[in-house]
Amino acid sequence: MGRKAMGIIMRAKNTYTRGEAAMYLIGLAGQNMIYNIIAVGLYFYFQNVICLNAIALGWIMAIARVWDAINDPMMGTIVDKTKSKWGKCRPYLLFVPPVIMVITIATFLNGNYATAKLAGHGTAMVLITAWAALSYVLWGMSYTIGDIPLWGIIPRMTEDEGDRAKLISLARIVASIGASFIVVGIVPASQAANKMLGESDNAQKGFIIVAIISTVIASALFELAGLGTKERVPVSEETKSMKESFKLMWSCKPFRRILISGVLRSPMQLMMIVVITLFTYYYCDGDMMSMFTDPIKLRNLLIIAGGFFIGQFGIMGLFPYLIKKFDVKLLYNLSALAGIPTGIMFVIYKIAPYDLAQLKWVIIEGVLILLGGAGMGIVMVCQSMMISDCIDYEEYHNGFRPDGVFFSGQSFITKLSAGIATIISAYVYNAVGYTDVNIAKMNEAVAAGASFARDFEQYSSAMWFLLTVPPAIGMIIAVIPTLKYEISKSEHEKILAELIEKHNAEQ
């Protein structure tokens, strides 16, 4: 039987079912909900509710993320060494979600830093900051144990390139949808809970209640990824030591280019860090719930958020068709163009710093955000595709399949980038005085009718800068390393065909 025929048989046999794909995608949505409960919800909670010092907050999150980035390849090595009746990745997806649930909830069980500072309770401030740091570091470590196997299982579920591209595209769409529920909903839901409890908008109780409910639901969904999937690709008999795994990540040239590109793209993470705070204060006067009673505020949210989601999800939905016609390297490098509309948004802000809630400016912002969202969508899908291709590349050239180690690189990029972005935001916020007691005073002033855009222009300007300028620069320079990315479409098709034939012969 010829190679082509064997490939067809192998592809038909060694790929996931629709039911498995659905269970995986639901689990992935839950996992990304958990990530954004922390990345968006906890950041807002630390900064604007308990009002941690900006520099302290920046360094807590940065150090934790840098440690996570170092820890990720370690976890990747452990995954690649794992041999069980469930496979290489599934054991972690089955048993880790409950652990992540408990630690995620624990991060919100903190005191109020701003109140302690106003009352002169120095010991309480130290304890609050220490608990914030410890719980956040523990969360990052537990999340890593589930994150790397979750993405690493995709190239283990199928050897069909088309099915792999389809699942990665759907995974990115579903992950973004799951994240969006949290990004858009956690602050207004928490503020609504506070009002039901008779508290102020930024009181703690509502945030804690919403965080607990959201985390329990998200963790239950995450569990389905382990329950509903199956690993099909043969496991390499060879294993690597921790030292060999770190060396492998750097010695594989195409993978090294992806790592460097991801680090250069770090400022893009500022968009996630800043967007909820900016929208809450600039467009909703400090009360996200007000958009449900004010049609103008709701309109603005729908246009701006809608532009981003249409751009991001639209390009992700088209990706399985685009990848049939274009090289993944070309698509990835074209994402740099998204830096242009992102940078233009800051120019728009400088033209009309107080009036961006007017319809004409909101429409312009929506179009620019749509283009920027499309660029981000391309990056997210292409990065996962390229890492998956690098796994095949490494097995083809050196006989070892580093699913865990290489997908730890994706987590490495995300966490190190978040650490870098957090440090940038911390020093910019500190420079304009957006920190601890000043935030508490601003909350009181805005609640009393002050205009965030006019009365706190230095804060508004800092947020618009962080949201646009550094991310635009990061998008543009991030493609420099990948201009010479080694794995072309034709080269990968050749590699994959020979690997399928090899795996077929081994069975």
Side-chain angles (χ1 to χ4, degrees):
M1 185 178 293
R3 175 181 299 171
K4 184 174 181 181
M6 289 174 66
I8 293 172
I9 291 173
M10 195 66 180
R11 281 180 169 86
K13 178 183 176 183
N14 261 17
T15 195
Y16 52 81
T17 66
R18 288 184 179 179
E20 286 177 62
M23 293 283 275
Y24 174 80
L25 293 171
I26 293 170
L28 187 78
Q31 188 248 17
N32 276 265
M33 288 170 67
I34 294 171
Y35 180 83
N36 283 281
I37 288 168
I38 297 295
V40 177
L42 186 68
Y43 188 89
F44 186 93
Y45 178 78
F46 278 173
Q47 182 183 62
N48 298 291
V49 179
I50 68 171
C51 302
L52 285 181
N53 177 274
I55 296 297
L57 174 60
W59 279 107
I60 286 170
M61 292 199 160
I63 291 172
R65 290 299 175 90
V66 170
W67 163 243
D68 281 345
I70 296 170
N71 187 46
D72 285 344
M74 297 180 186
M75 184 60 207
T77 302
I78 293 171
V79 170
D80 283 332
K81 287 177 176 289
T82 299
K83 294 180 181 179
S84 75
K85 65 179 181 180
W86 297 289
K88 187 192 258 190
C89 299
R90 279 191 69 215
Y92 304 98
L93 303 181
L94 287 167
F95 301 114
V96 171
V99 178
I100 298 175
M101 178 184 71
V102 172
I103 298 176
T104 302
I105 292 170
T107 61
F108 285 86
L109 303 180
N110 212 313
N112 193 309
Y113 180 97
T115 300
K117 185 170 183 179
L118 286 170
H121 295 160
T123 302
M125 289 162 51
V126 171
L127 292 175
I128 291 166
T129 305
W131 177 252
L134 177 62
S135 61
Y136 187 70
V137 169
L138 288 175
W139 177 84
M141 294 176 69
S142 66
Y143 186 83
T144 292
I145 299 173
D147 186 49
I148 292 168
L150 184 64
W151 287 98
I153 200 172
I154 292 180
R156 304 203 53 72
M157 290 171 67
T158 180
E159 289 183 302
D160 186 290
E161 186 174 27
D163 285 349
R164 193 181 290 177
K166 187 187 301 180
L167 187 58
I168 289 175
S169 298
L170 288 171
R172 285 300 187 180
I173 292 172
V174 170
S176 297
I177 292 172
S180 300
F181 278 114
I182 301 302
V183 172
V184 174
I186 193 166
V187 173
S190 300
Q191 291 179 336
N194 278 323
K195 288 181 178 180
M196 291 175 63
L197 295 168
E199 304 279 349
S200 65
D201 287 339
N202 288 323
Q204 287 180 270
K205 291 181 181 178
F207 280 84
I208 293 171
I209 291 171
V210 170
I212 291 173
I213 294 172
S214 301
T215 301
V216 170
I217 293 172
S219 299
L221 296 177
F222 186 10
E223 186 68 37
L224 297 180
L227 293 173
T229 54
K230 180 180 178 181
E231 297 185 29
R232 290 175 170 79
V233 178
V235 177
S236 301
E237 291 298 323
E238 180 186 0
T239 60
K240 299 284 185 183
S241 67
M242 206 77 72
K243 182 178 179 180
E244 289 171 330
S245 295
F246 275 96
K247 183 178 179 181
L248 177 63
M249 292 178 71
W250 193 252
S251 63
C252 180
K253 286 185 178 180
F255 186 72
R256 182 170 70 225
R257 294 186 188 281
I258 297 170
L259 287 179
I260 296 172
S261 175
V263 173
L264 292 175
R265 201 172 57 247
S266 296
M268 282 178 62
Q269 290 279 346
L270 285 164
M271 300 175 83
M272 292 296 292
I273 291 173
V274 175
V275 66
I276 290 298
T277 303
L278 178 60
F279 200 91
T280 298
Y281 288 105
Y282 191 95
Y283 291 97
C284 294
D285 303 316
D287 179 9
M288 281 282 279
M289 284 302 296
S290 65
M291 68 181 176
F292 296 112
T293 56
D294 187 327
I296 294 177
K297 292 178 182 178
L298 182 60
R299 176 204 69 192
N300 293 345
L301 173 68
L302 292 175
I303 293 174
I304 294 172
F308 179 79
F309 293 137
I310 290 170
Q312 188 179 68
F313 296 156
I315 203 71
M316 288 177 174
L318 290 173
F319 195 85
Y321 305 99
L322 294 173
I323 199 65
K324 292 178 182 179
K325 297 181 177 293
F326 303 103
D327 198 305
V328 67
K329 168 185 172 180
L330 174 63
L331 294 172
Y332 184 88
N333 290 338
L334 284 175
S335 69
L337 296 175
I340 298 172
T342 302
I344 291 173
M345 286 178 61
F346 189 69
V347 177
I348 298 298
Y349 167 75
K350 299 303 288 186
I351 293 172
Y354 314 130
D355 302 319
L356 294 185
Q358 293 180 6
L359 180 59
K360 64 178 181 181
W361 295 116
V362 170
I363 292 173
I364 293 172
E365 291 169 55
V367 173
L368 294 173
I369 288 172
L370 183 148
L371 297 173
M376 290 182 66
I378 289 175
V379 166
M380 288 191 288
V381 179
C382 285
Q383 178 179 276
S384 297
M385 277 294 301
M386 292 162 85
I387 291 174
S388 184
D389 291 352
C390 286
I391 293 170
D392 295 330
Y393 179 92
E394 188 63 28
E395 183 184 9
Y396 178 79
H397 286 285
N398 297 308
F400 177 68
R401 190 169 182 83
D403 302 274
V405 170
F406 276 16
F407 266 101
S408 76
Q410 179 166 279
S411 186
F412 171 92
I413 290 168
T414 300
K415 292 174 181 177
L416 182 60
S417 296
I420 294 170
T422 302
I423 284 293
I424 294 171
S425 66
Y427 279 94
V428 170
Y429 281 142
N430 191 67
V432 297
Y434 189 77
T435 181
D436 44 56
V437 175
N438 286 341
I439 295 175
K441 292 178 179 177
M442 180 198 70
N443 286 334
E444 293 177 3
V446 171
S451 167
F452 176 74
R454 292 182 182 274
D455 298 326
F456 298 95
E457 185 176 356
Q458 72 275 28
Y459 300 161
S460 176
S461 182
M463 289 180 192
W464 277 103
F465 171 81
L466 288 169
L467 186 74
T468 57
V469 177
I473 294 170
M475 289 179 193
I476 293 169
I477 65 174
V479 301
I480 295 173
T482 56
L483 292 174
K484 294 185 178 180
Y485 180 73
E486 286 82 0
I487 308 175
S488 66
K489 183 177 177 65
S490 59
E491 174 71 9
H492 183 250
E493 288 174 349
K494 173 189 171 185
I495 288 172
L496 196 57
E498 295 195 19
L499 287 178
I500 291 171
E501 185 172 352
K502 172 189 169 186
H503 295 159
N504 189 48
E506 291 173 348
Q507 289 186 342

